[in-house]
Amino acid sequence: DDGGRVRDARIAREHRLDTLTTTQREVYEHAREQGYYEWPRGTSTRELADDLGVSKTTLLEHLRKAESKLLDP
């Protein structure tokens, strides 16, 4: 049933989120909240970095590692 598939997908997503470090999850969640993954983007990596008090390079490193963990099946 569809409810079971949705529940399974939600559990799988939570499991992948649990593989992130605290910093990776913080950066990823902030990016989502600020519209980074929307089209057009709601924010830039520069703005996200400024919000979190880190360099753009550091933000991108954390974000890329988080995305890699979340997207890797």
Side-chain angles (χ1 to χ4, degrees), residues 12-68:
R13 179 177 180 272
E14 284 300 317
H15 175 70
R16 287 191 305 273
L17 284 171
D18 289 343
T19 68
L20 303 181
T21 66
T22 301
T23 304
Q24 289 167 353
R25 188 167 184 156
E26 177 183 314
V27 169
Y28 173 71
E29 293 292 347
H30 185 66
R32 285 188 60 213
E33 291 166 2
Q34 297 303 310
Y36 179 73
Y37 293 104
E38 295 173 10
W39 187 258
R41 290 193 194 280
T43 191
S44 68
T45 53
R46 170 66 59 211
E47 291 169 322
L48 292 172
D50 288 348
D51 290 349
L52 297 172
V54 299
S55 72
K56 181 179 169 185
T57 303
T58 298
L59 176 110
L60 284 170
E61 179 181 348
H62 292 304
L63 197 55
R64 297 280 192 290
K65 287 181 179 179
E67 290 169 343
S68 177

Side-chain angles (χ1 to χ4, degrees), residues 1-8:
D1 87 336
D2 285 343
R5 280 199 303 265
V6 170
R7 187 173 41 258
D8 291 347

